[in-house]
């Protein structure tokens, strides 16, 4: 993106008109979600057939997630230029994830003991069938800790991209970025230039995909309501109330964590990311908003390297909403079968859940796998008893999605601040509606607004915004050019 010089501003200084409400992505998604609920409720047969709209949109997002993560992490690490700093970010992120997940599990157990959501159900184990759980999980067996860690290492780099295995892609990306730092940025400038160009193309594709986000949200919501109905709410009322009440309290705690550690006003952040959170609610998927939420975080002052490492890792290691749901559901099932777990049994369950809750993102029936593994390890109630949650599980998606997504955003702010890769002044600018770097403007489809802002910055004598947060300015990265055989590129590469 080329920013005209300050003389151009004087020649054309008319401010851009504010977008009408109907062009707002938040407004479009909100209308789509409401329409989906109405269709699913009043015409459930029609709503049940609209699932391909939601699935198609999520597949469009998944199409670019793997290359996006690879390019973001590699270019971010190369900009930092310090392999040790990348290692520190990874260690700090894992420490935070472990502490947050442990707290979420303990918090869920406390709520489950107080509310007693399954008390008085008196379920007969002989009436249960394992078939329903097997159908939900695809007969998959839960991974132990060693198997999970080994699965992070790709046996084939191409296979990792083809299967969209985010942890494997991230694992390879860190090695690739570290290799660029060790070999030297100057020597690798042609590769970096090419990757930056490809990343701009991915950003542009993402901005096009987001134009059909309302259609995806409409189809997904119509299917959920049409398939499961609002009447299911009454059947699991106490369990649902316990989970959603816990989520509200946990979000309040996240507000305190974000302000205490990074001075981030989370309410302003939620207003800033309202389109992404509403879309995640509508599609019941955090993957659907991963590219956009990463862009918003870098635009809000977190470095690209930190965001690129923390967010994808958090999608597997920092599922706070899922952790709350798992611990409350475990006590719900135990109480439903007439068992009151003592402190020792609950501590044992806590240890099992801490392991089984990792790496569950994107796994079909992941919550059922985790609960089945815990039930088998404890032997308190039959594994088939997990089928009792089939009716309520989908209704918990909204709670899990919001808490998981917000928890990962807070984790990114905390780790970025911890590592000194967070600029709060830039965050304030972003919350005011500014685009603070060029790549964010491309991803968000707001190139014209960014160009106008940059012209104003230049006329005020301010420094131009960087290409991305924690990275160089746009002119510091040479343009990638194709040349014909025998022809030399005219662009010279200056030292970094």
């Amino acid at each position: 993106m080329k920013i005209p010089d300050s003389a151009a501003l004087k020649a054309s200084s008319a401010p851009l008109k504010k977008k009408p409400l109907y062009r707002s992505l938040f407004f479009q998604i909100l209308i789509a979600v409401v329409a989906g609920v109405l269709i699913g409720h009043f015409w459930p047969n029609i709503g049940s057939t609209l699932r391909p709209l939601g699935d198609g949109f999520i597949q469009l997002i998944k199409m670019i997630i793997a290359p996006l993560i690879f390019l973001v992490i590699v270019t971010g690490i190369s900009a930092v230029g310090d392999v040790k700093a990348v290692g520190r970010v990874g260690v700090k992120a894992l420490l935070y994830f472990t502490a947050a997940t442990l707290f979420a599990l303990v918090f869920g157990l406390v709520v489950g003991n107080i509310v007693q959501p399954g008390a008085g159900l008196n379920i007969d184990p002989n009436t249960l069938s394992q078939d329903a759980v097997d159908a939900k999980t695809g007969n998959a067996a839960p991974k132990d800790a060693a198997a999970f860690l080994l699965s992070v290492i790709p046996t084939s780099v191409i296979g990792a991209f083809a299967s969209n295995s985010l942890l494997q892609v991230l694992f390879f990306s860190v090695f690739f970025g570290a290799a660029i730092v060790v070999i030297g940025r100057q020597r690798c400038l042609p590769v970096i230039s090419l990757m930056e160009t490809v990343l701009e193309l991915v950003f542009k594709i993402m901005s096009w995909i987001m134009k059909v986000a309302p259609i995806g949200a409409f189809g997904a919501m119509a299917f959920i309501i049409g398939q499961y109905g609002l009447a299911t709410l009454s059947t699991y009322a106490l369990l649902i109330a316990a989970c959603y009440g816990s989520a509200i309290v946990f979000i309040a705690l996240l507000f305190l964590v974000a302000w205490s550690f990074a001075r981030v006003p989370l309410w302003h952040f939620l207003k800033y990311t309202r389109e992404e959170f509403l879309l995640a609610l509508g599609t019941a998927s955090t993957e659907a908003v991963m590219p956009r939420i990463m862009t918003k975080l870098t635009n809000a002052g977190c470095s690209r390297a930190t965001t690129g490492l923390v967010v994808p890792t958090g999608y597997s290691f920092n599922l706070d909403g899922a952790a709350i749901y798992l611990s409350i559901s475990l006590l719900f099932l135990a109480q439903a079968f007439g068992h009151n777990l003592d402190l020792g049994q609950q501590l044992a369950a806590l240890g099992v859940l801490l392991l089984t809750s990792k790496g569950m993102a994107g796994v079909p029936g992941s919550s059922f796998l985790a609960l089945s593994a815990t039930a088998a390890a404890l032997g308190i109630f039959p594994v088939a008893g997990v089928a009792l949650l089939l009716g309520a599980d989908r209704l918990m998606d909204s709670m899990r999605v919001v808490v998981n997504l917000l928890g990962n955003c807070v984790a990114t702010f905390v780790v970025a601040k911890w590592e000194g890769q967070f600029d709060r002044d830039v965050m304030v600018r972003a919350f005011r509606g500014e685009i603070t770097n060029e790549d964010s403007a491309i991803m968000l489809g707001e190139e014209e607004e960014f160009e106008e802002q940059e012209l104003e910055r230049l006329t005020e004598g301010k420094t131009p915004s960087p290409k991305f947060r924690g990275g160089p300015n746009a002119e510091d990265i040479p343009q990638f050019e194709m040349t014909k055989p025998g022809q030399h590129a005219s662009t010279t590469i200056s030292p970094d």
Side-chain angles (χ1 to χ4, degrees):
M1 183 188 303
K2 299 293 184 183
I3 303 298
D5 56 27
S6 57
L9 180 61
K10 297 178 180 178
S12 176
S13 58
L16 293 175
K17 294 182 179 179
K18 188 176 181 179
K19 289 183 179 179
L21 182 61
Y22 69 87
R23 293 187 59 189
S24 164
L25 181 62
F26 176 78
F27 178 77
Q28 293 173 357
I29 294 175
L30 180 61
I31 294 298
V33 169
V34 172
V37 171
L38 294 175
I39 292 292
H41 179 62
F42 292 105
W43 298 280
N45 292 334
I46 296 176
S48 298
T49 63
L50 295 177
R51 180 173 184 173
L53 294 179
D55 290 350
F57 172 73
I58 293 175
Q59 284 182 226
L60 285 173
I61 298 292
K62 288 183 176 181
M63 174 181 70
I64 65 168
I65 282 181
L68 177 72
I69 288 176
F70 173 73
L71 294 168
V72 163
I73 291 176
V74 172
T75 55
I77 291 175
S78 67
V80 172
D82 184 356
V83 177
K84 292 183 179 179
V86 175
R88 288 197 303 269
V89 169
V91 171
K92 290 174 180 178
L94 290 177
L95 288 174
Y96 179 90
F97 293 160
T98 302
T101 303
L102 182 60
F103 179 82
L105 288 169
V106 172
F107 181 67
L109 288 175
V110 171
V111 172
N113 281 292
I114 294 174
V115 177
Q116 298 278 317
L121 292 181
N122 299 319
I123 303 297
D124 183 2
N126 297 321
T127 63
L128 302 174
S129 172
Q130 181 69 27
D131 295 340
V133 177
D134 291 341
K136 187 73 174 179
T137 61
N139 295 304
K143 294 180 180 179
D144 57 28
F148 171 68
L149 293 175
L150 287 175
S151 70
V152 174
I153 305 173
T155 55
S156 166
V157 173
I158 296 176
F161 281 88
S163 61
N164 224 25
S165 178
L166 300 189
L167 286 180
Q168 292 185 357
V169 171
L170 186 147
F171 185 87
F172 174 71
S173 303
V174 171
F175 273 87
F176 199 99
I180 289 179
V181 173
V182 172
I183 292 175
R185 180 178 173 83
Q186 173 63 29
R187 187 175 177 184
C188 296
L189 270 179
V191 176
I192 296 173
S193 174
L194 172 60
M195 295 180 75
E196 284 290 345
T197 303
V198 175
L199 187 55
E200 285 192 18
L201 296 175
V202 173
F203 283 161
K204 178 56 68 175
I205 292 171
M206 183 63 206
S207 70
W208 292 341
I209 292 174
M210 288 305 297
K211 293 183 183 301
V212 299
I215 298 175
F218 167 73
M221 186 57 68
F223 167 75
I224 292 172
I225 302 300
Q227 184 74 18
Y228 298 96
L230 296 175
T232 314
L233 291 170
S234 60
T235 307
Y236 299 92
L238 194 55
L239 175 62
I240 292 171
C243 289
Y244 276 86
S246 303
I248 292 172
V249 176
F250 192 85
I251 288 173
L253 295 175
L254 288 178
F255 271 67
L256 294 176
V257 171
W259 180 253
S260 301
F261 285 89
R263 286 294 187 268
V264 176
L266 213 55
W267 174 249
H268 292 287
F269 176 74
L270 287 173
K271 289 172 61 179
Y272 167 64
T273 54
R274 57 187 179 274
E275 294 96 344
E276 289 71 33
F277 276 87
L278 185 59
L279 180 59
L281 279 171
T283 58
S285 169
T286 53
E287 281 191 338
V289 297
M290 180 191 284
R292 291 261 307 189
I293 209 70
M294 289 173 66
T295 301
K296 288 287 185 78
L297 287 166
T298 56
N299 192 55
C302 300
S303 73
R304 176 183 283 185
T306 301
T307 304
L309 287 168
V310 174
V311 174
T313 310
Y315 269 50
S316 285
F317 286 91
N318 191 40
L319 304 175
D320 297 331
I324 293 172
Y325 169 68
L326 287 174
S327 53
I328 294 178
S329 296
L330 178 70
L331 290 184
F332 167 80
L333 292 172
Q335 293 159 7
F337 289 103
H339 299 288
N340 288 317
L341 305 186
D342 58 31
L343 180 61
Q345 290 173 314
Q346 292 193 33
L347 290 176
L350 183 66
V352 176
L353 285 174
L354 189 61
L355 294 175
T356 56
S357 63
K358 301 301 182 185
M360 290 298 181
V363 179
S366 57
S367 58
F368 293 95
L369 280 174
L371 287 170
S372 297
T374 307
L378 297 176
I380 298 172
F381 56 86
V383 175
V386 178
L388 289 175
L389 295 171
L390 286 171
D393 185 72
R394 196 62 189 256
L395 299 173
M396 302 296 183
D397 280 343
S398 297
M399 180 276 289
R400 287 188 299 232
V401 161
V402 170
V403 177
N404 288 347
L405 186 57
L406 190 58
N408 281 318
C409 292
V410 172
T412 306
F413 281 119
V414 170
V415 174
K417 175 66 176 179
W418 193 357
E419 186 56 27
Q421 296 187 25
F422 172 61
D423 191 328
R424 193 173 187 279
D425 292 335
V426 171
M427 177 202 72
V428 173
R429 285 177 53 200
F431 289 178
R432 287 201 304 256
E434 294 185 37
I435 306 297
T436 64
N437 60 82
E438 180 182 339
D439 280 0
S440 293
I442 298 172
M443 166 70 90
L444 300 174
E446 298 183 4
E447 293 97 326
E448 292 183 6
E449 292 86 344
F450 177 73
E451 187 172 311
E452 180 78 8
Q453 290 173 189
E454 284 301 283
L455 287 170
E456 292 179 2
R457 288 179 63 81
L458 292 176
T459 55
E460 293 171 2
K462 298 179 180 178
T463 57
S465 298
K467 181 167 176 56
F468 57 86
R469 186 57 42 201
N473 291 326
E475 60 269 18
D476 295 330
I477 298 180
Q479 298 296 312
F480 178 76
E481 295 185 358
M482 300 293 291
T483 60
K484 296 179 180 179
Q487 179 183 357
H488 298 285
S490 59
T491 302
T492 57
I493 298 176
S494 58
D496 188 24

